[in-house]
């Protein structure tokens, strides 16, 4: 019997309240953050109260729908709503799911607006639909992923692509959870994932489900591969170009190069909403640079000498040549990726 | 005019006191740790009050010499002194300099003992000689290293191989310091180096000398290389086998694989005392596993969920195929390494 994953958000229909579990405080404190007000929504995404591309997408959908309802009540113009949408889209530049979620809701709103039906209600219906779409997609891609997990596989993953990142199911961890419940007995090495340390969320989520997990530093991945301790690498993604180049948390590219060198399969697990339908190659994917303070501190405590500077690219792009396959709800896409991705997205 | 590097140790001749700067507390506090008592010496090496292969070697030499003097005063037998030596050698298994330093001092002691001359004095003379040998070697290897640094080079380094690690001069940072004072204007990316965060020592040391330095997480190395931001990788080493395979701080192997993939030169800088004269290949180098708490904490503060386990291999071995050259006091050794190393060590 599968355990339910941790939920990153709660939408309270009666009061129109959007609550987010504060992922900055997990696993030590379970605090809910009220992201109902538009400013608080922007803050929650920028500051990573909510994180993980699919979860951000769903939260952006609800947040935009709530803001539309508020603006409609205020009698605001379309321009005001569109300016708000732009602010929302600007919170985090790399993850495309944010754009997907917000734009889908906006489209539903605009259509109802033009048809003079209840546009706020239409936006909220679309937000609900998106949430369900993400859950279904993650559930299905996790089942498809079973075929790449050998019995007893030792799997290395990076950052966190579990229930918290993906609305209660998981992408990379969805595959691992499905393998666990299918009796394949996977065991996991979870990268710490400096500077934001999301590996502890992965460890926390897997531990809850009694899936064996060992926390490691990013520096240990090559060592583990060389010792034959890794059978498979699986990560999530924040944006995938039409040629398969995949942006994900900084450090993913290192793993892909190392996996290729050691001839270890490297898979991305992501729903189709993670594909950027207009970007043809990874070179065009914008990389978010976050505050250098994240590198100079650990959980807020300064560890670097005064005056030292840092850089903090938050994502990198793994070229599709290094990717064995992309696990989606429509099956596992493989090279040539232009063709398999086009077929999955547009056919 | 070159600035003097930070000194990791002070030997006070009059009182026979061995003081170590507590590298666990730098760069925030400058505290001196008294390692004169044998137990405190063992603690200081195990717990990394002193770290860095060349510095450990010199400290082991002084520590053994001091302990010999004490044991001789006590009228202890040779067996007691040899048992102490074994305890000292067991403190850290990977760095060969520790063995080299302690054994050289032991040899000088034994010879004087057999000749019935002042064996304690002979041991101390040898410890002094070793210290000077390390300083000379690092100074010379740093000059040889100049030839591999292009003007304005952007250099990635890992862990800390500067004055603190190498008795006041430096190996990898020795090369960088020499390049700086030769007007080559190097700039440095310093890996944070989880779990012990020695990158901040590198940043601290370079900053003192106005060498531009940027702190990065290990996860960022591939990104930087792919963007063309890295011209050269230089690290130190803790033990080098006769075929050139080099053990160094965990994460060095990742950099070597990534550098190879991006066709970026990867150099090791180490004095000849870092070569293991009986080990023919990296596979025979023992890898120290340290407490998992180092991974589960950051500067002593727990960041991982309760109950989660970790592993903590402290070193990895980079095969010589991935090494462009090994910078030593006898020049830069290159492939075929068996030959160049044998010539440097034994000719």
């Amino acid at each position: 019997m599968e355990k339910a994953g941790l939920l990153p958000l709660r939408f309270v229909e009666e009061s129109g309240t959007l609550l987010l579990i504060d992922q900055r405080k997990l696993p030590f404190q379970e605090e809910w953050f009220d992201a109902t007000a538009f400013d608080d929504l922007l803050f929650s995404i920028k500051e990573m109260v909510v994180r993980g591309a699919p979860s951000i997408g769903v939260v952006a959908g609800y947040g935009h729908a709530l803001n539309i309802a508020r603006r409609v009540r205020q009698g605001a113009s379309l321009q005001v709503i569109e300016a708000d949408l732009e602010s929302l889209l600007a919170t985090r530049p790399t993850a495309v799911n944010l754009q997907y979620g917000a734009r889908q809701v906006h489209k539903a709103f605009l259509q109802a607006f033009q048809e003079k039906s209840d546009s706020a209600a239409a936006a909220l219906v679309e937000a609900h639909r998106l949430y369900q779409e993400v859950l279904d997609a993650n559930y299905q891609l996790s089942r498809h992923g079973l075929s790449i997990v050998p019995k007893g596989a030792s799997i290395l993953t990076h950052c966190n692509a579990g229930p918290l990142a993906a609305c209660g199911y998981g992408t990379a961890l969805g595959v691992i959870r499905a393998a666990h419940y299918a009796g394949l007995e996977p065991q996991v090495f979870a990268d710490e994932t400096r500077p934001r340390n999301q590996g502890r969320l992965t460890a926390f989520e897997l531990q809850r489900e009694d899936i064996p997990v060992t926390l490691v530093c990013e520096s240990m991945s090559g060592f583990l591969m060389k010792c034959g301790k890794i059978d498979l690498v699986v990560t999530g993604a924040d944006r995938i170009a039409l040629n398969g180049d995949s942006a994900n948390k900084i450090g993913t590219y290192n793993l892909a190069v190392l996996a290729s060198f050691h001839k270890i399969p490297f898979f991305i697990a992501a729903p189709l909403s993670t594909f950027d339908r207009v970007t043809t190659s990874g070179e065009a994917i914008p990389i978010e640079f976050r505050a250098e303070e994240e590198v100079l501190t650990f959980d807020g405590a300064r560890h670097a000498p005064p005056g030292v500077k840092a850089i903090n690219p938050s994502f990198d792009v793994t070229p599709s040549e290094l990717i064995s396959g992309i696990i989606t709800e429509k099956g596992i896409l493989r090279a040539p990726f232009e063709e398999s991705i086009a077929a999955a997205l547009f056919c």
Side-chain angles (χ1 to χ4, degrees), chain A:
Chain A
M1 171 69 184
E2 281 200 29
K3 267 195 195 167
L6 290 159
L7 283 181
L9 77 156
R10 274 198 234 146
F11 179 70
V12 187
E13 188 92 42
E14 308 75 47
S15 54
T17 307
L18 179 61
L19 297 175
L20 306 176
I21 197 160
D22 194 334
Q23 296 193 40
R24 300 170 305 172
K25 298 186 175 170
L26 286 175
F28 297 105
Q29 287 162 264
E30 189 181 314
E31 271 181 34
W32 289 83
F33 180 98
D34 190 332
T36 311
F38 191 61
D39 273 358
D40 296 335
L41 173 78
L42 299 185
F43 177 90
S44 72
I45 297 175
K46 269 187 207 156
E47 298 299 321
M48 300 171 63
V49 172
V50 62
R51 46 147 297 283
S55 289
I56 291 174
V58 170
V59 167
Y62 276 117
H64 190 44
L66 283 177
N67 192 51
I68 284 170
R70 191 161 33 221
R71 290 304 195 198
V72 166
R73 282 197 307 274
Q74 292 169 348
S77 68
L78 255 186
Q79 282 93 323
V80 169
I81 292 174
E82 273 159 9
D84 288 345
L85 174 63
E86 290 307 316
S87 305
L88 177 56
L89 295 178
T91 48
R92 298 204 64 193
T94 301
V96 80
N97 314 60
L98 186 151
Q99 297 186 18
Y100 177 79
R103 286 195 199 281
Q104 288 290 115
V105 165
H106 198 68
K107 227 187 278 178
F109 154 70
L110 278 182
Q111 197 182 330
F113 181 82
Q114 279 150 6
E115 291 167 358
K116 303 205 189 303
S117 61
D118 185 342
S119 58
L124 188 58
V125 165
E126 178 62 10
H128 282 316
R129 193 196 63 74
L130 280 167
Y131 189 4
Q132 195 56 49
E133 179 184 279
V134 165
L135 282 179
D136 291 347
N138 291 344
Y139 183 82
Q140 285 158 26
L141 76 84
S142 297
R143 259 77 205 148
H144 287 301
L146 284 179
S147 66
I148 58 127
V149 181
K151 172 104 180 172
S154 177
I155 304 175
L156 176 61
T157 190
H158 189 66
C159 198
N160 172 263
L164 288 165
C167 291
Y169 202 81
T171 54
L173 292 198
V175 173
I176 290 167
R177 296 172 75 212
H180 173 70
Y181 291 113
L184 294 176
E185 299 176 9
Q187 50 175 308
V188 179
F189 286 96
D191 263 355
E192 178 180 48
T193 316
R194 284 283 293 146
R196 295 287 300 225
N197 322 317
Q198 293 95 333
R200 63 184 165 199
L201 298 178
T202 295
F204 178 55
E205 291 185 326
L206 293 176
Q207 203 180 26
R208 279 185 75 244
E209 302 189 67
D210 299 319
I211 300 172
V213 58
T214 304
L215 201 64
V216 291
C217 300
E218 274 82 310
S219 53
M220 297 166 189
S221 45
F223 175 85
L224 291 170
M225 290 182 189
K226 191 155 167 258
C227 296
K229 297 280 187 206
I230 307 294
D231 299 308
L232 187 65
V233 181
V234 189
T235 75
D238 290 82
R239 186 189 298 224
I240 304 176
L242 292 173
N243 69 345
D245 294 352
S246 297
N248 191 45
K249 182 54 57 196
I250 188 80
T252 304
Y253 174 61
N254 283 14
L255 293 185
V257 171
L258 287 160
S260 167
F261 184 82
H262 294 91
K263 305 195 191 329
I264 293 168
F266 175 90
F267 283 89
I268 296 278
L272 293 176
S273 54
T274 307
F275 287 76
D276 179 337
R277 287 150 195 255
V278 296
T279 295
T280 53
S281 121
E283 281 154 41
I285 297 178
I287 297 296
E288 175 183 1
F289 279 73
R290 295 181 60 85
E292 63 176 343
E293 283 310 301
E294 292 186 349
V295 174
L296 300 171
T297 59
F298 194 108
D299 279 350
R302 176 98 186 182
H303 69 89
V308 164
K309 61 179 185 170
I311 53 163
N312 188 12
S314 195
F315 299 91
D316 57 28
V317 175
T318 297
S320 60
E321 305 88 77
L322 297 175
I323 300 173
S324 309
I326 304 174
I327 306 165
T328 75
E329 64 268 41
K330 287 206 182 163
I332 300 178
L333 313 184
R334 295 186 186 260
F337 283 105
E338 281 88 348
E339 290 170 27
S340 58
I341 290 171
L345 289 181
F346 306 118
C347 296

